[in-house]
Amino acid sequence: MAATGSAVGLGNIWKFPYIAGENGGGAFVLVYLVCILMIGIPIMIAEVLLGRRAQRNPINTMRHLAAQAGASSYWQLIGWMGVLAGLFIMMFYSVVAGWALDYVVASAQGTFSGGDKNSVGAYFSELTQSTNLQIAWHSTFTILTVAVVAAGVTKGLGNAVRFMMPVLFVLLLVLLGYSYQQGNFMAGFSFLFSFDFSKLSGQSVLTAMGHAFFTLSLGMGAIMAYGSYMPKDASIAKTVCTVAFLDTLIALVAGMAIFPLVFANGIEPSAGPGLMFVSLPIAFGNMPGGDIFGTMFFVLVGIAAWSSAISLIEPGVAWLTETFNINRLAATGSMGLIAWLGGLGCIYSSDFFNFLDKLTANFMLPIGGLLIAIFTAWVMKRSHVNKELGDISGLSFNLWYASTRVFAPLSVLTIFVYEVYSLFM
Ligand code: PHE
């Protein structure tokens, strides 16, 4: 449940639709799905496995397992890079989550009633131009996140997610139903699912792979930290497959709800980060009971973002408290402060925002994942790996082992090379 909470977040509802829109739709979506299946799931199993075996925070997990395997202690760099990536992501994540919080209040006040592309569009650009308002919401979100992490994440989080996920899903289905009736459903559907490979550049392939890592919270230690809290008798492979399935389902439903509205209302699919914040309020503003649905929806987006943000700073906090004798509150407070300052940077400069987004999703997470795969399948003893995955049969184990050893790392590297190549061609 906690891992689902980490995975399902702004990545699914906000980021996936807008990057699918910017990268031409169908072919991008296909590459993304293939990356989830062939790269994301195997590496996610590896990441959980490492955490559960070592039962420590990501930095100490890597140090401990490297020592156990007689390998260099440099492997702990995976943990370091993860803590840094978590902070970097939190910097822009909390700004976007802040927008969602603002939309809770706006929806409740009926701001979007009868809204159209122009009025909602104007509302969104006013919000993103108001530094004060954004700072207020971004700070609120940071404080909420710090409060839970300081109190210790594992308690309560599972229950919150158990309640929130189904409600979020139902609301997405309501939106999907509305989109089906009132939106241009065929246009939306064919945009997302007809594969036009001529629209696919090296950059799009990299973005699709990066997003597979981002949406699964993969490659930065969050999943490793949750793995370390996972009971020894729970099945890693089953848990990972469930999380990946739910995560993908929510992203696809969000996309199918959003794009028909985009086409029916004359919004550009490539409108960028505002795509969800402009298209969905139009639907809420024009459906019966829309103010209430809209308010609930943005509350749930806020909660989904919150349960993801918790896992962004948890690895760093766990490391600080386990390594130095400082209390959780101080550790969480300092992580929160650094992320908050970076968030100010993102509010004042959209270039900084985009830079952090690309740096983490397209590079830091895939490199983290690549190293995790190599460590698990080449450095660790096979018998140790086997022990954690004991519940899956010989064939599935071998399939996973082969993909973690060869296929997934090779694919990540190929995509990096293809990106570099297409930069110069
Ligand atoms: N997976 C989260 C989302 O899709 C973002 C995230 C990335 C959370 C990395 C934790 C670690 O919104």
Side-chain angles (χ1 to χ4, degrees):
M1 279 297 165
T4 309
S6 167
V8 176
L10 296 171
N12 307 61
I13 302 166
W14 160 73
K15 195 174 175 193
F16 169 71
Y18 106 68
I19 57 175
E22 282 184 341
N23 289 280
F28 173 87
V29 175
L30 184 69
V31 176
Y32 155 77
L33 292 174
V34 171
C35 288
I36 293 277
L37 204 67
M38 316 273 265
I39 302 176
I41 292 180
I43 297 185
M44 194 169 181
I45 292 178
E47 187 172 335
V48 177
L49 177 162
L50 298 181
R52 189 167 76 175
R53 175 151 182 92
Q55 309 265 303
R56 291 165 169 79
N57 66 68
I59 293 173
N60 296 351
T61 288
M62 291 317 300
R63 187 184 302 149
H64 175 78
L65 294 178
Q68 210 171 51
S72 155
S73 63
Y74 279 122
W75 283 105
Q76 63 178 292
L77 282 175
I78 295 179
W80 285 104
M81 194 172 64
V83 169
L84 211 61
L87 275 174
F88 287 170
I89 295 174
M90 183 65 183
M91 292 173 183
F92 66 88
Y93 207 80
S94 63
V95 175
V96 182
W99 297 344
L101 296 183
D102 180 84
Y103 270 53
V104 171
V105 177
S107 306
Q109 288 172 337
T111 309
F112 303 123
S113 295
D116 57 20
K117 176 186 158 194
N118 296 333
S119 66
V120 182
Y123 183 85
F124 181 72
S125 51
E126 224 168 85
L127 171 63
T128 47
Q129 274 157 25
S130 159
T131 41
N132 288 344
L133 206 56
Q134 288 186 93
I135 291 173
W137 287 121
H138 146 71
S139 309
T140 310
F141 184 78
T142 307
I143 292 169
L144 285 172
T145 308
V146 165
V148 200
V149 179
V153 264
T154 39
K155 297 173 222 129
L157 188 60
N159 286 332
V161 173
R162 197 179 314 240
F163 160 78
M164 164 221 111
M165 278 308 156
V167 186
L168 178 65
F169 191 65
V170 169
L171 281 177
L172 280 172
L173 290 181
V174 169
L175 272 170
L176 184 65
Y178 179 86
S179 257
Y180 182 72
Q181 282 184 332
Q182 307 289 332
N184 190 344
F185 200 75
M186 275 325 293
F189 198 83
S190 80
F191 181 77
L192 279 176
F193 298 110
S194 58
F195 311 130
D196 178 357
F197 281 94
S198 65
K199 287 182 186 156
L200 209 62
S201 62
Q203 180 69 44
S204 304
V205 175
L206 182 68
T207 307
M209 171 184 75
H211 188 64
F213 281 92
F214 185 87
T215 193
L216 294 174
S217 306
L218 203 56
M220 53 70 69
I223 288 301
M224 207 185 279
Y226 283 2
S228 75
Y229 306 136
M230 194 171 165
K232 283 280 181 196
D233 57 359
S235 161
I236 294 180
K238 270 188 210 133
T239 308
V240 165
C241 290
T242 314
V243 173
F245 173 76
L246 291 174
D247 186 78
T248 309
L249 182 69
I250 295 199
L252 291 179
V253 174
M256 284 194 295
I258 288 176
F259 280 104
L261 297 167
V262 165
F263 290 110
N265 291 287
I267 301 169
E268 280 300 319
S270 59
L275 193 70
M276 164 191 114
F277 288 100
V278 176
S279 59
L280 293 187
I282 300 178
F284 289 126
N286 293 289
M287 67 165 81
D291 291 349
I292 298 174
F293 278 137
T295 311
M296 276 172 68
F297 177 79
F298 285 109
V299 167
L300 286 160
V301 171
I303 301 178
W306 190 38
S307 60
S308 299
I310 289 167
S311 70
L312 285 168
I313 57 174
E314 169 65 16
V317 170
W319 172 72
L320 283 172
T321 51
E322 285 165 34
T323 312
F324 309 101
N325 215 354
I326 60 172
N327 68 36
R328 246 190 117 78
L329 185 63
T332 319
S334 20
M335 292 286 291
L337 185 66
I338 300 172
W340 181 81
L341 287 170
L344 294 185
C346 292
I347 290 173
Y348 282 105
S349 155
S350 59
D351 286 339
F352 187 58
F353 182 119
N354 291 329
F355 169 73
L356 288 180
D357 177 10
K358 296 240 154 46
L359 174 70
T360 51
N362 294 0
F363 298 100
M364 292 177 90
L365 303 184
I367 291 172
L370 176 69
L371 294 174
I372 286 171
I374 295 175
F375 182 84
T376 313
W378 291 92
V379 178
M380 256 173 99
K381 278 208 191 83
R382 187 170 166 149
S383 61
H384 290 170
V385 172
N386 220 329
K387 222 184 226 159
E388 294 299 327
L389 291 179
D391 65 302
I392 61 175
S393 75
L395 180 66
S396 338
F397 180 84
N398 287 335
L399 210 63
W400 168 78
Y401 203 62
S403 48
T404 311
R405 217 171 143 87
V406 184
F407 186 79
L410 213 57
S411 310
V412 175
L413 284 172
T414 311
I415 292 174
F416 278 144
V417 172
Y418 180 49
E419 156 76 6
V420 173
Y421 170 83
S422 61
L423 272 183
F424 294 104
M425 292 311 283

